[in-house]
Amino acid sequence: MRGYGQFCSVAQALEVLGERWTLLVVRELIEGSSRFNELLRGVPLMSRTLLSQRLKTLESCGVVERRKGEGGAPEYHLTEAGRDLQPIVSSIGIWGQRWAHRELTRDDLDPTLLMWDMQRRLDVDALPERRTVVQFWFRDMPASKNRFWLRLDKPDVELCLHNPGRDVDLKVETKCRTMVDVWMGHRELRAALRAREITLDGPRRLQRAFADWLLLSYFAPAGRAQAEAGRLSGRA
Amino acid sequence: MRGYGQFCSVAQALEVLGERWTLLVVRELIEGSSRFNELLRGVPLMSRTLLSQRLKTLESCGVVERRKGEGGAPEYHLTEAGRDLQPIVSSIGIWGQRWAHRELTRDDLDPTLLMWDMQRRLDVDALPERRTVVQFWFRDMPASKNRFWLRLDKPDVELCLHNPGRDVDLKVETKCRTMVDVWMGHRELRAALRAREITLDGPRRLQRAFADWLLLSYFAPAGRAQAEAGRLSGRA
DNA sequence: CGGTATCCCCCGCGATACTG
DNA sequence: CAGTATCGCGGGGGATACCG
């Protein structure tokens, strides 16, 4: 992008970070994605061409390092400069929780993205000991993308878009909107379970464990604080 | 701008803040500008049309409030949501000091912008008691924009682009690049004075006071820390 | 899988002129 | 001073095909 023609360090930083998508790519890297297609799944509306460009720019700016991983597959990792962006991305997210929380439209409620996010935020230690398949069913989504499966095989987690062909151990049924609200910390998971807006079907043991291994978004604590403040001030 | 199609609060926030120029306008508001033309002076490469658009967007997002000031002149002020952006802008600037400090090109060294920034970061209490005119002369700039005058009339400060027609009390001669380095905290003001890369001409009293009332950029402390670290690690 | 190359369209933005 | 209206362009980025 053409720069800002300013010596101010905010402007200098924004010449690197300010372009469309860039900070979301950084967010994905912070969250632990490192392969090209992994990154792409985290920003599904971004074209591969554009992701490629942005990664190149970030590399030349010293924010990202491209290196060969195991098997020679390319991987992208944050440099020290990139890791230093973590508090910035984090505070932007917290600000967004508080002030940019517009009503989510249908377009924002992408269940695939939600599942992708969830899949990498599981408490592996709290997972069931045995191989387990959990099915999610989002009633408010078109049939083409309303069913997902998590194959939990400690410590591995795999997200499947089609039935993995094993018996399902636990079924989770809810609306995508509800699950997103919970994920973002705007609703309590246990409250939604009690209200039966999220229903579980399977052995009691797996039902009870569910709320333990399903971690929420990094921003859920801020969302909860926000919801709480709203309730106290009567805006809830 | 078209959004990101994500429920993530970072994406939501960036839909509001992520467009080109937006955070620089917020920076100007944080620094205390409130009139349309004041804001424009802080982002000289932005067109009035675009500034107008951005202000409207920020207003509709609840970051900026437009109201009538004294005399009915419109003023723009940050709302609480806008003020909450201060730590974000600040940490972006500090990151930029550390990691995005590319070599400044001629285009980045706008002396008018530098003077505009300086003029609103003076320690009014430390100013001389009497009305004083300080002239700046940047040897490395074309004649059309290498002289500026500050009219200091406690507690008022006025930046003049043409000789205000009073005798000059103190003359400051240097290069714009040097002054920017000092302003950003990459060089010590007193060191630059000692090295006679900034020279003063005028009464001893005014010369001595100069370094007291000339505050530096908010990011100068971070710049100094950075320069110090570089020196210690031998990269100075 | 992990990208590049190419074409093409659209809209973000600057320039200019005008208004209250 | 504080903007709005209008027009026209350039390049950012999407779509598609291709490659190692």
Side-chain angles (χ1 to χ4, degrees):
Chain A
M1 111 163 120
R2 251 170 41 277
Y4 292 109
Q6 304 204 170
F7 46 79
C8 165
S9 60
V10 177
Q12 302 273 320
L14 288 174
E15 288 188 9
V16 176
L17 308 173
E19 282 182 309
R20 184 164 157 81
W21 291 110
T22 298
L23 278 175
L24 293 186
V25 172
V26 171
R27 179 201 65 195
E28 289 303 299
L29 290 160
I30 289 173
E31 302 259 2
S33 291
S34 58
R35 307 277 293 265
F36 188 87
N37 281 347
E38 280 176 359
L39 291 166
L40 211 47
R41 298 189 74 169
V43 282
L45 292 192
M46 192 178 190
S47 75
R48 6 181 1 83
T49 312
L50 194 50
L51 175 57
S52 174
Q53 274 180 218
R54 290 289 188 273
L55 286 170
K56 281 211 178 76
T57 305
L58 286 173
E59 194 183 357
S60 77
C61 294
V63 174
V64 161
E65 182 193 4
R66 181 192 153 125
R67 61 167 183 256
K68 299 282 176 194
E70 32 183 330
E75 290 185 358
Y76 299 89
H77 293 273
L78 292 171
T79 62
E80 189 192 350
R83 272 173 263 126
D84 270 5
L85 289 172
Q86 201 268 335
I88 295 179
V89 172
S90 198
S91 55
I92 290 175
I94 289 169
W95 187 89
Q97 277 278 38
R98 174 140 196 215
W99 295 113
H101 177 224
R102 63 163 164 73
E103 205 51 40
L104 293 173
T105 69
R106 280 206 90 72
D107 293 340
D108 301 318
L109 296 171
D110 177 347
T112 312
L113 187 54
L114 172 63
M115 291 303 301
W116 176 250
D117 282 356
M118 282 171 46
Q119 158 263 1
R120 71 177 163 199
R121 282 277 297 164
L122 301 185
D123 184 348
V124 175
D125 292 334
L127 289 181
E129 288 299 332
R130 277 193 58 248
R131 247 159 139 255
T132 307
V133 172
V134 181
Q135 183 198 67
F136 284 79
W137 178 31
F138 299 115
R139 296 194 309 277
D140 56 341
M141 289 290 131
S144 62
K145 51 174 188 179
N146 70 353
R147 273 163 223 266
F148 302 86
W149 292 263
L150 290 181
R151 289 180 49 171
L152 311 177
D153 193 2
K154 215 169 177 175
D156 296 326
V157 175
E158 191 188 356
L159 171 63
C160 305
L161 305 185
H162 303 283
N163 194 319
R166 274 188 85 248
D167 288 347
V168 168
D169 301 294
L170 180 68
K171 290 183 182 175
V172 183
E173 184 191 340
T174 183
K175 292 204 268 183
C176 184
R177 187 176 293 270
T178 304
M179 199 66 226
V180 164
D181 279 343
V182 169
W183 172 256
M184 295 306 294
H186 297 131
R187 299 202 49 180
E188 287 286 348
L189 172 57
R190 287 163 209 278
L193 285 167
R194 249 178 280 118
R196 300 198 61 74
E197 298 197 39
I198 300 177
T199 59
L200 304 180
D201 180 9
R204 302 292 294 178
R205 180 181 50 85
L206 289 180
Q207 290 197 28
R208 259 179 281 112
F210 177 69
D212 293 326
W213 56 257
L214 185 78
L215 298 180
L216 303 180
S217 155
Y218 280 117
F219 301 105
R224 251 191 310 269
Q226 192 48 28
E228 183 61 22
R231 208 159 21 254
L232 289 178
S233 72
R235 285 187 287 108
Chain B
M1 110 166 120
R2 251 171 40 276
Y4 292 107
Q6 303 203 175
F7 46 80
C8 164
S9 59
V10 178
Q12 302 273 321
L14 288 174
E15 288 188 9
V16 176
L17 308 173
E19 281 182 308
R20 185 165 156 80
W21 291 110
T22 299
L23 278 176
L24 292 187
V25 172
V26 171
R27 178 201 65 193
E28 288 303 300
L29 290 160
I30 289 173
E31 302 258 2
S33 289
S34 58
R35 306 277 293 266
F36 188 86
N37 282 347
E38 279 176 0
L39 291 166
L40 211 47
R41 299 190 73 171
V43 282
L45 292 191
M46 191 178 189
S47 74
R48 8 184 356 86
T49 312
L50 193 49
L51 175 58
S52 174
Q53 274 181 219
R54 290 289 187 273
L55 286 169
K56 281 211 178 75
T57 306
L58 286 172
E59 194 184 355
S60 79
C61 293
V63 174
V64 160
E65 182 194 4
R66 181 193 153 123
R67 61 168 183 256
K68 298 284 177 191
E70 30 183 331
E75 289 185 358
Y76 299 90
H77 293 273
L78 293 170
T79 62
E80 188 191 351
R83 271 174 263 127
D84 270 4
L85 290 172
Q86 200 270 333
I88 295 179
V89 172
S90 198
S91 55
I92 290 175
I94 289 168
W95 186 89
Q97 276 278 37
R98 174 141 196 214
W99 296 113
H101 177 223
R102 65 163 163 74
E103 205 50 40
L104 294 172
T105 69
R106 279 207 89 73
D107 293 342
D108 302 317
L109 296 171
D110 178 347
T112 312
L113 187 53
L114 172 62
M115 291 302 303
W116 176 250
D117 282 356
M118 282 170 44
Q119 157 262 0
R120 70 177 163 200
R121 282 279 296 165
L122 302 185
D123 184 348
V124 175
D125 292 334
L127 288 181
E129 288 299 333
R130 277 192 59 248
R131 249 159 138 256
T132 306
V133 172
V134 181
Q135 182 198 66
F136 284 80
W137 178 30
F138 299 116
R139 294 194 308 276
D140 58 341
M141 288 289 131
S144 62
K145 51 175 185 177
N146 70 353
R147 274 163 220 265
F148 301 87
W149 293 262
L150 290 181
R151 290 181 48 171
L152 311 176
D153 193 3
K154 213 168 176 175
D156 296 325
V157 175
E158 190 188 356
L159 171 64
C160 306
L161 305 185
H162 302 285
N163 192 317
R166 273 190 84 247
D167 288 345
V168 169
D169 300 294
L170 180 69
K171 291 183 181 174
V172 183
E173 184 190 339
T174 183
K175 291 204 268 183
C176 184
R177 187 175 293 269
T178 304
M179 199 66 227
V180 164
D181 279 343
V182 168
W183 172 255
M184 295 306 292
H186 297 131
R187 299 201 49 180
E188 287 286 347
L189 172 57
R190 288 164 209 276
L193 285 168
R194 251 180 279 116
R196 301 199 58 76
E197 298 197 39
I198 300 177
T199 58
L200 304 181
D201 180 10
R204 303 292 296 178
R205 180 180 51 85
L206 288 181
Q207 290 197 27
R208 259 179 281 112
F210 178 68
D212 293 325
W213 55 257
L214 185 78
L215 297 180
L216 303 180
S217 153
Y218 279 116
F219 301 106
R224 251 190 312 265
Q226 193 47 26
E228 184 61 22
R231 210 162 16 254
L232 289 178
S233 72
R235 286 187 287 109

